[in-house]
Amino acid sequence: MAAQFGRRLRKGATSTAVAAAAVAALAASQAPSVTADDAANGDRAAAGNTDSPDGAATGNSPYHTDLPPLTTPGPPGTSTGIPATGSTQSGIPATVLDAYKKAEREVAGTDPACRLPWQLLAAIGKVESGQARGGKVTADGTTLSPILGPALNGQGFALIRDTDDGAYDGDSTHDRAVGPMQFIPSTWATWGQDGNGDGREDPNNIYDAALAAGRYLCAGDRDLALAADLDRAVLSYNHSQEYLRTVRSWFDFYNRGTHEVPDGTGVLPSGRTSGSTGQGGGSPATASPKPSSSPKPGATPAGSGGGAKPSPEPTTPKPGGTTTPAPDPTTPPATPSPAPRLGSLRDAGTGTLAATAGEAFAERVTVQARNTLGDPLARTEVTFTVTGSDARFPGGEATATLVTGADGTATAPVLTAGEKTGTFTVTATAGTVRPYTVTFTASVTARRADAITRTGEEALTATAGAEFAPVEVRTTYKGTGLAGTSFTAVMTTDAAAPAENTEGPYFETTGDKPVRTLTLTTGPDGTLELPRIHAGDTAGTYLLRLTTGSGATLTLTLTVQEPPA
């Protein structure tokens, strides 16, 4: 199944020969309009042969209606050997062209049965965004500014209420088509791809968008080498016969040859539909006006590729006889840049979260919020939550909410460990409609003695055959008595390299044999009186070494004297 990415998602009905015939006639004529019979046949084809996986990818947003020149660069099939130069319209910006070809290769590797041609991606990219506004993209393929369609609010367009909390399109009321391939957010959420390998799925990146478009067009069991399947794929992208005709025109044009031009120098289209009614593209009341069937003498028909200069702009008289150019009706209004939206939340270099019971963690949880383009996002609320522990933020709180700074980062307050030992989690959460979370693992270890001391100071001296005075010791952690600390007491021969002594003092315990090694545990306040110590029968100086499990040590000197004469 891995080699069939996205295939068999939905079985498409077989396409009729009517749509293919209509499209073939259009490709031959390059005509911008069709007969009533053609439209009727096309509507039937659209109604019965659109196996769109989840509705039109663009939400049937407006698109550019410019058609390619009547004179194409060369005969069909010559685009495999791309010429270094060619007509202005046949030029595709370098990065954009590379993205289309890369997408074709990737889809061919995972879904060879689809036979996706990059020229189809180029045709759709031309119609949707004018090849990313003439190739105004960064080196990694991201558009220099967002490309957004109008709000799909049902006013001349489809009605699609917000599905992404404005994360991609900056509109939290209605959806808008986004990026050079004009995906609506709900479709991008399903089909988004990482085409340039930067770890993000960005609809404003031509590599990501081109690969997503390729996967989308190959949905179901389509074979795009078949005209009927290709038509179904295009109609699933925008459910309009006019759209199909326009894309088909550019597809045929690019199949005849194209060439690479520098980024930012591509030809910007002018004509654009301003509304969508589904089957027929723009509505008659709002669609862009078609060229007059009777051009003025000397004028060059639109799309002829003849290179003639356009007619002078119409002017509007001003008082005093001066004139100013009238607004160009084909220039779409500038789309305001959307407000930045949360696109991700990630760890910003948090170290190991470990502490001893009752103490503050030296490390603090730090996260960074980023927008949908991967840039730091300021003024974003982040909530940190402790789960599975009695560790707490200041004030004894298990949660803390902060706002990210200019660099997009937020650092949790100092966390103090409780008495419960073991591991627990700290979760950072940002966003409401679509929350992003980062989870960290923290650990609390029990206190361990850092010192063991003797409570008395008098010298430990005894006569051979007698007993030493009682010996009391205390284990502490940072100066406070630590209960329940285990330690080992050994009568040893050498403090530097301790080994159990075979003679001298020993612990008096039940049994016949002398005991010189014991494991003991301190009481509630960290103190313990050692078992009675017998001096033995041989005078001399001996050592008693006490060692805790945490490595704290205490060495006592035991002096055995000869009995009086």
Side-chain angles (χ1 to χ4, degrees):
M1 292 296 292
Q4 295 291 320
F5 187 102
R7 305 283 289 163
R8 310 294 183 264
L9 293 181
R10 184 176 299 179
K11 283 278 188 178
T14 14
S15 159
T16 65
V18 178
V23 172
L26 170 72
S29 68
Q30 298 291 306
S33 60
V34 293
T35 67
D37 289 340
D38 289 335
N41 289 337
D43 287 346
R44 285 192 294 272
N49 295 302
T50 56
D51 53 352
S52 168
D54 52 0
T58 67
N60 294 324
S61 295
Y63 55 90
H64 294 290
T65 58
D66 297 32
L67 292 173
L70 291 173
T71 304
T72 53
T78 60
S79 59
T80 53
I82 298 177
T85 60
S87 74
T88 303
Q89 287 285 4
S90 66
I92 299 178
T95 299
V96 178
L97 181 60
D98 182 62
Y100 296 149
K101 293 183 176 182
K102 187 173 186 291
E104 179 193 60
R105 292 193 299 271
E106 291 206 23
V107 173
T110 58
D111 192 1
C114 176
R115 294 194 282 185
L116 169 74
W118 66 260
Q119 291 89 344
L120 179 58
L121 297 175
I124 291 176
K126 177 70 173 180
V127 170
E128 292 295 347
S129 67
Q131 311 297 18
R133 291 179 179 154
K136 292 182 179 179
V137 296
T138 61
D140 71 347
T142 302
T143 58
L144 299 180
S145 59
I147 300 176
L148 296 174
L152 298 175
N153 55 12
Q155 303 299 314
F157 312 114
L159 175 60
I160 303 180
R161 302 193 185 281
D162 175 63
T163 60
D164 66 332
D165 193 29
Y168 292 116
D169 56 12
D171 190 332
S172 57
T173 304
H174 296 94
D175 273 350
R176 297 169 180 253
V178 182
M181 302 304 278
Q182 289 288 278
F183 278 95
I184 54 174
S186 58
T187 307
W188 184 260
T190 301
W191 293 90
Q193 300 288 313
D194 177 14
N196 62 351
D198 64 354
R200 296 187 294 122
E201 296 173 0
D202 182 4
N204 291 297
N205 182 280
I206 185 59
Y207 286 97
D208 295 1
L211 182 57
R215 304 285 194 206
Y216 183 92
L217 293 167
C218 285
D221 57 357
R222 293 178 188 142
D223 178 355
L224 299 184
L226 303 177
D229 277 8
L230 188 144
D231 291 349
R232 274 208 310 274
V234 175
L235 286 170
S236 76
Y237 212 87
N238 188 313
H239 201 84
S240 161
Q241 286 296 309
E242 291 292 343
Y243 181 84
L244 172 62
R245 295 181 183 103
T246 307
V247 169
R248 270 289 200 170
S249 296
W250 283 105
F251 178 59
D252 180 69
F253 180 77
Y254 288 139
N255 268 312
R256 292 175 179 271
T258 186
H259 63 284
E260 178 184 297
V261 298
D263 289 345
T265 64
V267 177
L268 296 177
S270 57
R272 186 177 181 89
T273 60
S274 57
S276 176
T277 57
Q279 299 288 352
S283 65
T286 58
S288 300
K290 294 183 179 180
S292 170
S293 58
S294 301
K296 295 180 180 180
T300 303
S304 67
K309 294 183 179 180
S311 302
E313 295 179 341
T315 58
T316 303
K318 276 189 174 182
T322 59
T323 60
T324 56
D328 182 358
T330 64
T331 302
T335 303
S337 297
R341 296 285 176 169
L342 180 64
S344 65
L345 186 70
R346 60 189 65 189
D347 179 14
T350 304
T352 302
L353 296 171
T356 301
E359 296 189 352
F361 284 78
E363 192 70 26
R364 296 164 66 182
V365 175
T366 302
V367 295
Q368 184 184 49
R370 297 190 179 185
N371 61 23
T372 53
L373 299 179
D375 299 321
L377 185 61
R379 300 185 300 279
T380 300
E381 281 194 355
V382 180
T383 298
F384 301 90
T385 304
V386 175
T387 305
S389 174
D390 56 355
R392 291 295 182 262
F393 294 116
E397 300 294 331
T399 62
T401 300
L402 293 93
V403 176
T404 59
D407 61 352
T409 63
T411 300
V414 174
L415 186 63
T416 301
E419 295 302 319
K420 184 178 180 179
T421 60
T423 60
F424 65 97
T425 60
V426 180
T427 302
T429 305
T432 53
V433 175
R434 183 182 178 185
Y436 293 86
T437 62
V438 183
T439 301
F440 302 84
T441 299
S443 63
V444 176
T445 56
R447 299 178 185 87
R448 304 184 70 190
D450 57 13
I452 180 169
T453 58
R454 181 185 169 208
T455 58
E457 296 181 355
E458 67 276 8
L460 296 174
T461 303
T463 302
E467 290 181 357
F468 286 89
V471 177
E472 184 181 73
V473 295
R474 183 171 184 246
T475 56
T476 59
Y477 175 72
K478 295 188 175 181
T480 301
L482 188 62
T485 301
S486 295
F487 63 92
T488 302
V490 180
M491 299 293 180
T492 184
T493 57
D494 186 349
E500 185 179 274
N501 203 349
T502 56
E503 58 183 21
Y506 56 87
F507 295 108
E508 290 189 356
T509 60
T510 58
D512 298 333
K513 293 184 179 180
V515 175
R516 293 186 170 88
T517 299
L518 286 177
T519 297
L520 307 166
T521 302
T522 59
D525 59 352
T527 61
L528 176 70
E529 184 177 302
L530 301 182
R532 289 181 300 170
I533 301 174
H534 195 282
D537 300 326
T538 305
T541 300
Y542 302 92
L543 299 176
L544 171 59
R545 185 179 177 86
L546 311 178
T547 307
T548 68
S550 56
T553 61
L554 171 66
T555 302
L556 302 176
T557 300
L558 305 178
T559 302
V560 179
Q561 298 175 337
E562 292 285 354

